[in-house]
Amino acid sequence: MPNQKPLLPDVARRTAAWCGVLLLVVAVAGVVVWLSVHLKTAVTPVLLALLGTALLGPVHRWLTAHRVQRSVSAGLTCAALVAVVGGAGYIVVTALIDTGDQIVDSLKDAAQWVIDHFDLGDEASVDNLAGSARNLVEKFGATAAGGVLTGLSLIGSLIATAVLALLLTFFFLRDSDRAVRLAHSLAPHGSGDLVEAMGRRAFEAVEGFMRGTTFIALIDAICITVGLLILRVPGAVGLGALVFVGAYIPYLGAFLSGAVAVLVALADRGFVIALWALGVVLAVQVLEGHVLQPMIQSRTVRLHPAVILIVLTAGASVAGILGMLLAVPLCAAAFGVIEELRDRNTAPADEPPAGSAPA
């Protein structure tokens, strides 16, 4: 019987197959996002615990390598996390409280300077804008805020989430070896090594991102704070704390915190000092983009700025600020899995793929 000619050419059939795979992946991702949003009370502590585990993993491994029992090393690591995060939070909050009034007044003066110098009209003023914002809050705030009980409920929810995330971090650190064995047992027959390799590559990507971002944020905050102190810009410590916190939202956080610093310098120290402050911010950003990131995050998955901005936008639309904080690490993990699959598909037959255990 003669072979029948295919209805579609080979290129069209391959394109259709890839489109089907893409639609399937998008559908699965959409279901995962939908479930995560509707189960955010349970999902949020797990994701935060994974980020904490990625950040503390090297410390825990160092302790276990020095023959410290796994539970003890996990407890010590979590205690160190509480001490460091609590101390850093205290410094940031204290700095913002001590200099918050100065920063707000300076931003108000800077906004008034923009209105006056760009001739936006006699009716436009910061006081009018502030009054309109106040009236808007008074008009619609009752439904949004819900009074003191809602505020107390929000604080209680944040505390409960933090405590649960800390406990999960302890268990993730202590039982990471059990998680590997569980992944092997649940994986389909013959795919245990692949599942383990993908998990390790994803976790390494998140670990490198968290460690590198924290170190870069600290350097950025110190450099900008020193520069603002030399320029005698009011609230320099608080602005540096704002830079440190904003650095965990790539690009957007640095842009917003740098803009606030320049506006404060413009309001209190004049146009020339504002230009110097802008130069300090730009110099630090150039140092970060061309020196720090290539050096510190060279062994992790490096994402293109366009991909990061798209991911940040998607995260903000799904879960607000929390989505912006979690979007980039999750995207780095996904790219880590893709890199592992690509390495396995392109590796020669006689060589083990990257990340796999030797026989």
Side-chain angles (χ1 to χ4, degrees), residues 5-32:
K5 185 178 180 180
L7 182 62
L8 295 176
D10 186 62
V11 175
R13 287 187 283 115
R14 289 186 178 182
T15 303
W18 278 110
C19 289
V21 172
L22 181 61
L23 288 175
L24 180 61
V25 171
V26 171
V28 173
V31 172
V32 171

Side-chain angles (χ1 to χ4, degrees), residues 40-180:
K40 60 182 179 181
T41 304
V43 173
T44 300
V46 175
L47 295 178
L48 293 177
L50 288 175
L51 295 183
T53 305
L55 187 62
L56 299 173
V59 179
H60 180 262
R61 290 194 295 269
W62 183 85
L63 290 174
T64 54
H66 286 75
R67 299 184 179 181
V68 179
Q69 204 268 342
R70 294 188 65 88
S71 297
V72 176
S73 60
L76 292 176
T77 307
C78 291
L81 174 65
V82 172
V84 172
V85 172
Y90 175 78
I91 294 173
V92 170
V93 172
T94 302
L96 292 177
I97 290 177
D98 292 342
T99 60
D101 294 336
Q102 290 178 303
I103 295 175
V104 171
D105 293 339
S106 299
L107 290 176
K108 184 177 178 181
D109 294 339
Q112 190 64 53
W113 183 90
V114 172
I115 291 174
D116 295 339
H117 284 73
F118 286 91
D119 195 18
L120 298 180
D122 296 334
E123 296 181 357
S125 68
V126 176
D127 293 331
N128 291 338
L129 294 176
S132 300
R134 238 185 341 262
N135 293 334
L136 188 63
V137 171
E138 290 175 359
K139 185 176 181 180
F140 298 101
T143 304
V148 178
L149 292 179
T150 302
L152 294 177
S153 176
L154 177 61
I155 295 175
S157 177
L158 291 176
I159 293 176
T161 300
V163 172
L164 181 57
L166 182 64
L167 292 175
L168 289 175
T169 302
F170 171 80
F171 290 120
F172 289 167
L173 288 171
R174 189 191 68 177
D175 300 329
S176 57
D177 54 341
R178 297 182 183 178
V180 174

